[in-house]
Amino acid sequence: MSKYSIQEFINETKKTKEPKDSFDLETDRILDVQLAGNLWAKMGSMIAYIGDVKFEREGLMDHGADRMLKKAFTSEGSELMSATGKGQIYLSDQGKKITILDLQGEKITVNGNDLLAFQPSVNWDIHMMRKVAGMMSGGLFNIILEGQGKIAITTYYEPLTLLVEPGKPVMTDPSATVAWSGHLEPEFKTDMNYKTFLGRGSGESIQMKFEGEGFVIVQPCFEGTSNQ
């Protein structure tokens, strides 16, 4: 048989394993969800499914009046879709690498663009940022998740986790910042000078500053500059 035959292609690319859990990775860039109830996922992330599953766009009142007001008046919040039923769903986001995290009562804050899916048992809320800081960082919004259950986040290439220790603050570029310990409260640090306005600055004139104790997850690529 030719190594370029259709059958050979099917053999190399077909699904080869059964998921070990309700959230499992089919590949590093495809999330395999065994659905038996409901799930929240990023709008447009479904690439295929098997079974009896219904997808619906998130409604304004699906998560309560408080979050509805935050979304309506700040334009902050990733559009979500609900998946309901029983079957197998495959999710992906522009070919980004997927990481599954199993929350055991912890709290984590995730950049809204980097949240792929989460189980309904996880509590979540939209983090209100200072308006000026949000504008300067390119309109970033964050989602706080906590409780029990699995979440899936995405990164361009391999993520890097930096530990934040007392007296040793960590500074990151907002566009490269994916997630951080839920109890950390980042501040925006600006480094504006005449070189910045003359176009001779490094480009990193705005940073997020994390102080205290915890962790920060960054990706080796700026959000919006790669589809790898």
Side-chain angles (χ1 to χ4, degrees):
M1 180 185 297
S2 169
K3 67 177 181 179
Y4 299 116
S5 68
I6 291 177
Q7 186 58 51
E8 187 64 24
F9 175 78
I10 292 173
N11 291 339
E12 291 183 2
T13 60
K14 69 181 180 181
K15 178 178 173 62
T16 58
K17 66 176 184 177
E18 291 301 318
K20 298 179 181 178
D21 207 336
S22 56
F23 263 41
D24 198 9
L25 295 179
E26 176 62 27
T27 72
D28 287 345
R29 299 167 189 268
I30 299 177
L31 178 68
D32 185 346
V33 179
Q34 295 292 310
L35 184 67
N38 65 305
L39 169 81
W40 286 103
K42 188 173 184 177
M43 189 71 190
S45 61
M46 186 275 291
I47 59 174
Y49 72 93
I50 301 170
D52 184 13
V53 182
K54 181 180 180 181
F55 298 92
E56 290 184 330
R57 181 187 294 269
E58 171 192 26
L60 282 177
M61 292 300 294
D62 282 351
H63 304 291
D66 182 53
R67 273 172 281 194
M68 178 198 72
L69 291 174
K70 290 180 182 180
K71 293 173 75 69
F73 289 104
T74 67
S75 298
E76 294 184 356
S78 179
E79 275 202 272
L80 299 173
M81 65 179 181
S82 67
T84 307
K86 186 175 183 180
Q88 195 165 14
I89 306 173
Y90 297 98
L91 303 175
S92 186
D93 185 13
Q94 302 183 62
K96 296 167 69 176
K97 181 178 175 59
I98 300 171
T99 299
I100 297 173
L101 300 174
D102 191 356
L103 300 185
Q104 301 291 327
E106 301 100 334
K107 179 191 293 186
I108 187 171
T109 302
V110 181
N111 182 316
N113 289 326
D114 301 318
L115 179 63
L116 179 63
F118 58 93
Q119 293 180 318
S121 58
V122 176
N123 297 316
W124 69 280
D125 198 4
I126 298 170
H127 179 59
M128 299 286 286
M129 297 172 60
R130 290 177 298 174
K131 188 67 176 178
V132 174
M135 292 173 59
M136 295 179 68
S137 62
L140 291 178
F141 59 90
N142 307 308
I143 299 178
I144 299 175
L145 304 109
E146 62 179 320
Q148 303 285 333
K150 294 182 177 63
I151 68 172
I153 64 175
T154 59
T155 57
Y156 287 115
Y157 307 101
E158 301 293 331
L160 172 68
T161 300
L162 301 172
L163 297 181
V164 181
E165 300 176 350
K168 296 181 179 180
V170 172
M171 267 70 69
T172 66
D173 186 292
S175 297
T177 307
V178 175
W180 58 89
S181 306
H183 62 279
L184 293 180
E185 292 288 344
E187 296 182 358
F188 281 86
K189 178 177 179 292
T190 60
D191 184 21
M192 296 292 188
N193 53 46
Y194 75 95
K195 289 184 179 179
T196 302
F197 292 105
L198 291 176
R200 296 185 178 182
S202 66
E204 289 93 15
S205 57
I206 304 172
Q207 300 101 34
M208 297 177 75
K209 182 178 181 180
F210 295 87
E211 291 186 287
E213 189 170 3
F215 64 86
V216 182
I217 302 172
V218 295
Q219 58 187 352
C221 183
F222 298 126
E223 190 74 41
T225 62
S226 174
N227 288 327
Q228 184 66 31

